[in-house]
Amino acid sequence: MPLVTKQGFQPTPEITYVLVEEIGAANQASLAVSVPSDTDAAVLAPHLEKIALIGIDFPSFADGRGFSIALRLRRLGFEGELRARGYLISDQYPHAMACGFDTVEIDDEMAERQPYEQWKAATEKVLPPYRVKRAG
Amino acid sequence: MAKLFKPKIISANDLLAGDVVYMNSGYGWTRKLAEAAIAHDENAADALLEKAEPQQDKVVGPYLADVALDDDGRPFPTHFREKFRTRGPSNRVDLGKQATNPERREPLAASGGI
Amino acid sequence: MYRYDEFDAAYVKNRVKNFREQVNRRIDGSLTEDEFKPLRLMNGLYLQLHAYMLRVAIPYGTLNSRQMRTLAMIATKYDKGYGHLTTRQNIQYNWPALKDVPDILDDLADVEMHAIQTSGNCIRNVTADHFAGAAADEIEDPRPTAEIVRQWSTEHPEFLYLPRKFKVAVTGSPNDRAVTKAHDIGLRMLRNNAGEPGYEVIVGGGLGRSPFVGKVVRDFLPKADLLPYLEAILRVYNLQGRRDNKYKARIKILVHETGTDELRAMIEEEFAKMDGPSIALDPSEIERIENYFAPPQFSDLPAESVALSAAKAADAEFATWVDVNTDAHKQSGYTIVTVSAKAIGEAPGDLTTAQMNVIADLAEQYSHDELRISHEQNAILPHVKLDDLPAVHAALVEAGLATANANLISDIIACPGLDYCALATARSIPVAQDIQRRFSDPVRAKAIGEFKIKISGCINACGHHHVGHVGILGLEKAGIENYQITLGGDHTETTAIGDRAGPGFSFEQVGPAIERLVDAYISLRADESERFIDTYRRLGLEPFKAALYNEEKEAA
Ligand code: SF4
């Protein structure tokens, strides 16, 4: 399973995700938490300190809930890694990054069909004017 | 099974041009319904669809459509939506397939259904 | 009107380049059709019954002559010599080839136009009052707001994959011509008690399978809070809107199932957490946008035009057209002209290349180079001197654009229906044409008075049938086209969803049924000033239902 990163495709390291409801019981630091797309980001608020990675599910690339969840998590102050998991296409990569994601997990078939150049090219698109003005 | 089965053809839209196409017996695509491969039973219909679906590089949205057969065994559409697809807009007979294919200009009522 | 700055220009040009690449990636197999589809839709490209269809945005219905000439040129160069005005202030081309679409978009970009977000499950082209900037009853021009919303919503990274499409409409006049209560968000510009400008925010209106009149979630939203508040609504919708059923995915269903108060609380909670200043535009940027919409340099003219009065006295046909197709302008000596794209027997909203060019010429010569496209599928010359009306009329007559039927029975809204649309269950256009022919006598049509017929070819209701005084919905029943009639709908500030009259009619029966309905109305109305909708409200469904279903008597 390749991981799309700013540096290129990388192999996705083996990670054990815990579920949101398991966080309270888990006592190690640097947790990786798996977040389904119907999660209310607020339930993670008390635990953000001990989370290093949040993987947000995209059941379909046409299901944009993950973008709002990511934004809410960043607004709550989460500074660890946000990873989109499931199904995104390269054209969505810049949108995912704008919403606070760092990485995207894709499958081998997708990596073959949409090689890294396509993901990189997507990040080089000109931003819409409102985004430019807000950023500047 | 065969008793209730309505003959079927595969229709889709051409990827590049967008116009209505039908799958022929060589699993290629034709603009003419008369040249469409006809499935006379369920298995044949499934087989045609199986040949059509992977052809994403040529067509969009292949599907099975019911047809009836005239005395010469040529297919004609039974549903009015498919009739329009063989012709073009009913308010502009100068456009679409009907523009180049005068036999498609027969009034809709004559072929039944409306 | 708004002009692109360097950011707009660079973005739109680059977007065309991206789309060109996406088309190539679709052809080379990098993108599957399932993946390509939302991308092409977000660039206005549909696949319809007979061909692709490109839907070009005319943001808030405003354009100039150069843009109109480009639309005309595209119709000839890439299409079949005509375009279709839609109920969302777009123009559709019905026959483009996939490979030509990037070139069309390039030509559009050259005149500051695009097809961005005219389809797809995203925030769609923002619509506004088609008399914006001209109407005598206007409190404030809605277009700067619409432009701000356009900029904010364009490729908003969070809101491109919503549960369903999302439509925003803005009106700056208490007489709502933008159907704001039938939109996902309707914004009504108003002033609070302190005289400050702001908006009434209406959420959850919509037509389609389950029609709803929008609910007010904020009586008064200060102007500066506009974008943060919209962002709060959209975030709540993106997270909470249903994704399990396409027919339940619009925000109207969320409002309905959650309850207005509960949803309002959710929106307000989200809004309270927003970092408003990071979302709102700088006041200087807002001012820059507003300045583009400054009124043109009007001349000082008397309220009465001698030339016009003389021309009206000399030509009854012209006089009728002036009475029917012009509206009160805020500037003395000027008027708003509705250019009817509803010639008797023509497809409602269709304009040929030649007609588009004539309209462009007239805009340039007589209307400060400005045009509007109305959701009622007509073109508008917003700033015409009363003195110039005879010349404008003469040119329109020549081009087949002078039908004196604005707001009358033959000014029918009709969606493309089964003559073009892949989703249709029945035809719309020929139904409209039949009704137009039955009421082609201008004297009779004027005697009937305001009469809004709206026709959709399926439950998606692009033809706004629910809010027509008479709504006609084309369905399929037992393998043939069947038309359901609703009565008493209203698209204005007093929005109402029409009542279903009863069983549907066959294609051939619709026209005669409408004739019976009109005859009943004429005999039942209190006097000539009582519009059909008023008579309907006074008497209710029954007498009209009786007329509609009174075929036996007719036949006898
Ligand atoms: S109402 Fe239905 S038929 Fe008409 S344009 Fe919309 S989707 Fe197509």
Side-chain angles (χ1 to χ4, degrees):
Chain A
M1 287 271 248
L3 193 63
V4 187
T5 75
K6 289 192 187 88
Q7 287 74 44
F9 286 167
Q10 291 175 2
T12 307
E14 197 68 38
I15 294 171
T16 314
Y17 285 96
V18 299
L19 299 175
V20 175
E21 47 282 12
E22 294 165 354
I23 302 174
N27 39 26
Q28 80 264 39
S30 305
L31 288 175
V33 180
S34 165
V35 167
S37 54
D38 58 355
T39 305
D40 179 356
V43 302
L44 288 157
H47 311 295
L48 294 178
E49 292 284 283
K50 53 198 240 190
I51 303 174
L53 168 68
I54 298 178
I56 300 177
D57 272 354
F58 281 82
S60 144
F61 77 99
D63 182 339
R65 283 176 290 181
F67 296 122
S68 288
I69 295 172
L71 269 163
R72 276 188 164 170
L73 286 169
R74 290 297 186 211
R75 190 174 65 195
L76 287 166
F78 178 65
E79 287 174 359
E81 181 181 336
L82 274 181
R83 181 175 298 179
R85 304 178 70 209
Y87 192 176
L88 282 190
I89 61 175
S90 60
D91 304 77
Q92 294 173 305
Y93 189 34
H95 309 135
M97 301 221 290
C99 292
F101 284 101
D102 302 293
T103 51
V104 180
E105 199 176 299
I106 56 174
D107 63 19
D108 295 329
E109 184 272 335
M110 174 63 79
E112 194 174 320
R113 208 153 43 74
Q114 300 184 357
Y116 186 69
E117 301 82 76
Q118 297 193 8
W119 295 78
K120 185 158 187 297
T123 66
E124 287 158 3
K125 289 196 303 189
V126 174
L127 287 176
Y130 168 83
R131 301 284 134 199
V132 179
K133 287 167 195 166
R134 293 320 312 157
Chain B
M1 174 196 88
K3 224 168 46 185
L4 286 173
F5 187 84
K6 288 188 185 144
K8 290 183 175 38
I9 49 96
I10 297 270
S11 188
N13 289 76
D14 183 79
L15 172 63
L16 296 179
D19 53 349
V20 175
V21 291
Y22 304 96
M23 196 162 82
N24 63 27
S25 48
Y27 311 126
W29 299 90
T30 170
R31 259 74 179 166
K32 294 188 181 130
L33 179 58
E35 295 171 3
I38 302 164
H40 293 277
D41 62 47
E42 201 80 50
N43 289 340
D46 290 346
L48 283 183
L49 197 56
E50 229 162 80
K51 291 287 183 191
E53 271 170 349
Q55 298 197 38
Q56 282 219 13
D57 54 334
K58 298 197 182 67
V59 298
V60 182
Y63 63 95
L64 288 162
D66 287 348
V67 289
L69 304 180
D70 67 11
D71 294 345
D72 300 324
R74 282 179 314 198
F76 62 90
T78 54
H79 192 277
F80 61 91
R81 182 179 193 272
E82 290 306 319
K83 285 179 190 163
F84 287 119
R85 289 181 80 246
T86 67
R87 297 184 178 102
S90 72
N91 65 311
R92 289 292 302 267
V93 293
D94 57 324
L95 301 175
K97 287 183 189 291
Q98 58 200 347
T100 47
N101 215 358
E103 77 267 24
R104 295 295 177 208
R105 281 194 192 168
E106 82 270 26
L108 289 163
S111 46
I114 289 178
Chain C
M1 35 181 288
Y2 187 71
R3 298 299 315 261
Y4 281 7
D5 61 16
E6 77 260 36
F7 300 107
D8 296 300
Y11 174 71
V12 173
K13 268 292 176 192
N14 187 256
R15 174 104 178 191
V16 177
K17 180 173 154 276
N18 296 147
F19 186 62
R20 199 181 288 281
E21 286 158 5
Q22 286 166 338
V23 169
N24 291 336
R25 287 164 60 224
R26 168 69 181 89
I27 293 169
D28 76 17
S30 297
L31 287 165
T32 65
E33 179 61 23
D34 281 350
E35 291 164 356
F36 179 60
K37 189 175 173 185
L39 302 175
R40 70 165 154 79
L41 291 176
M42 276 187 252
N43 288 289
L45 188 63
Y46 279 77
L47 190 52
Q48 294 288 43
L49 277 187
H50 316 294
Y52 283 102
M53 178 271 278
L54 182 67
R55 181 182 290 160
V56 175
I58 299 169
Y60 34 91
T62 293
L63 75 171
N64 62 25
S65 61
R66 185 160 156 257
Q67 293 172 321
M68 189 60 143
R69 285 194 190 99
T70 298
L71 294 178
M73 178 276 287
I74 288 169
T76 297
K77 186 170 168 195
Y78 304 100
D79 212 84
K80 303 207 176 188
Y82 68 106
H84 174 76
L85 306 177
T86 78
T87 53
R88 296 217 72 257
Q89 298 178 316
N90 298 303
I91 184 166
Q92 295 182 172
Y93 296 105
N94 291 306
W95 307 94
L98 178 61
K99 64 168 179 40
D100 287 339
V101 172
D103 296 336
I104 300 175
L105 297 177
D106 249 332
D107 287 345
L108 287 169
D110 289 341
V111 292
E112 306 184 359
M113 295 187 84
H114 60 74
I116 297 167
Q117 288 171 220
T118 55
S119 180
N121 293 334
C122 52
I123 303 168
R124 299 284 188 90
N125 181 36
V126 181
T127 55
D129 183 354
H130 46 266
F131 291 167
D137 58 12
E138 187 169 272
I139 300 170
E140 196 174 330
D141 191 333
R143 292 174 301 160
T145 295
E147 174 59 26
I148 289 166
V149 175
R150 183 188 77 84
Q151 295 198 12
W152 162 80
S153 61
T154 299
E155 204 180 337
H156 192 300
E158 187 182 356
F159 303 134
L160 293 171
Y161 297 88
L162 298 170
R164 199 74 178 85
K165 59 188 166 185
F166 202 95
K167 303 173 179 177
V168 181
V170 196
T171 177
S173 158
N175 299 306
D176 185 0
R177 286 172 289 262
V179 212
T180 55
K181 287 186 178 167
H183 281 75
D184 296 281
I185 292 180
L187 297 170
R188 291 194 342 125
M189 307 187 83
L190 40 73
R191 302 275 150 94
N192 68 4
N193 293 337
E196 293 153 348
Y199 308 96
E200 178 184 77
V201 183
I202 301 160
V203 168
L207 304 176
R209 175 178 278 191
S210 330
F212 285 103
V213 176
K215 313 286 186 299
V216 176
V217 290
R218 251 305 179 106
D219 295 324
F220 183 80
L221 181 75
K223 253 183 154 178
D225 290 340
L226 175 67
L227 295 183
Y229 199 79
L230 293 186
E231 198 142 322
I233 296 172
L234 264 297
R235 184 163 302 147
V236 168
Y237 170 59
N238 190 35
L239 288 165
Q240 306 294 332
R242 286 180 62 171
R243 291 176 187 263
D244 58 332
N245 179 339
K246 159 175 173 187
Y247 294 109
K248 301 201 164 164
R250 295 286 291 274
I251 196 173
K252 62 188 176 184
I253 303 292
L254 182 65
V255 174
H256 180 66
E257 291 181 351
T258 313
T260 308
D261 292 338
E262 171 90 26
L263 193 81
R264 180 187 295 119
M266 288 158 80
I267 295 166
E268 291 290 342
E269 189 193 336
E270 185 64 35
F271 176 62
K273 288 184 196 150
M274 293 258 166
D275 176 16
S278 77
I279 297 165
L281 283 177
D282 283 343
S284 65
E285 176 62 10
I286 293 176
E287 202 186 312
R288 183 187 76 90
I289 292 171
E290 281 176 344
N291 284 340
Y292 280 115
F293 296 95
Q297 288 293 317
F298 292 121
S299 311
D300 261 331
L301 294 171
E304 301 289 326
S305 156
V306 181
L308 173 60
S309 304
K312 281 177 80 171
D315 180 348
E317 204 183 300
F318 171 67
T320 301
W321 177 81
V322 173
D323 289 346
V324 174
N325 284 35
T326 65
D327 280 90
H329 198 284
K330 58 169 76 165
Q331 178 73 23
S332 161
Y334 284 78
T335 189
I336 304 168
V337 171
T338 294
V339 177
S340 173
K342 314 286 179 68
I344 302 300
E346 298 295 332
D350 277 12
L351 291 176
T352 64
T353 297
Q355 289 176 324
M356 288 187 240
N357 281 325
V358 167
I359 294 170
D361 291 347
L362 292 174
E364 189 173 26
Q365 199 177 346
Y366 298 110
S367 184
H368 290 273
D369 204 28
E370 283 195 37
L371 281 166
R372 311 274 187 270
I373 299 301
S374 77
H375 81 269
E376 293 175 312
Q377 301 175 293
N378 289 311
I380 311 290
L381 294 163
H383 308 303
V384 178
K385 284 180 188 160
L386 293 173
D387 295 342
D388 290 334
L389 281 175
V392 169
H393 180 253
L396 291 175
V397 169
E398 192 101 334
L401 291 166
T403 314
N405 63 353
N407 297 313
L408 301 184
I409 192 164
S410 56
D411 185 9
I412 298 170
I413 289 184
C415 80
L418 194 57
D419 288 304
Y420 295 96
C421 178
L423 301 170
T425 42
R427 288 172 296 163
S428 312
I429 294 167
V431 175
Q433 290 171 314
D434 178 46
I435 297 171
Q436 287 173 334
R437 289 193 190 101
R438 288 168 189 274
F439 298 95
S440 59
D441 174 4
V443 178
R444 183 178 177 207
K446 202 175 164 213
I448 296 165
E450 185 182 316
F451 201 102
K452 299 278 194 179
I453 298 181
K454 303 182 196 261
I455 309 175
S456 305
C458 81
I459 50 164
N460 285 334
C462 303
H464 292 190
H465 63 275
H466 295 108
V467 293
H469 294 170
V470 174
I472 302 175
L473 164 63
L475 296 169
E476 175 186 350
K477 202 175 160 201
I480 58 168
E481 292 166 305
N482 186 271
Y483 295 87
Q484 229 170 56
I485 293 185
T486 50
L487 299 175
D490 177 359
H491 69 290
T492 69
E493 61 284 357
T494 45
T495 304
I497 307 294
D499 308 310
R500 230 184 101 179
F505 294 86
S506 72
F507 181 81
E508 290 80 10
Q509 288 170 336
V510 176
I514 300 297
E515 295 233 37
R516 292 194 295 278
L517 182 76
V518 170
D519 290 343
Y521 155 63
I522 297 290
S523 66
L524 290 168
R525 68 181 174 189
D527 58 48
E528 282 178 19
S529 72
E530 189 180 67
R531 302 171 306 161
F532 170 78
I533 184 73
D534 303 323
T535 309
Y536 182 84
R537 285 185 182 139
R538 182 165 58 81
L539 297 176
L541 176 63
E542 282 317 312
F544 297 105
K545 184 172 175 173
L548 275 177
Y549 294 98
N550 196 6
E551 278 162 274
E552 300 77 37
K553 210 165 141 195
E554 174 104 335

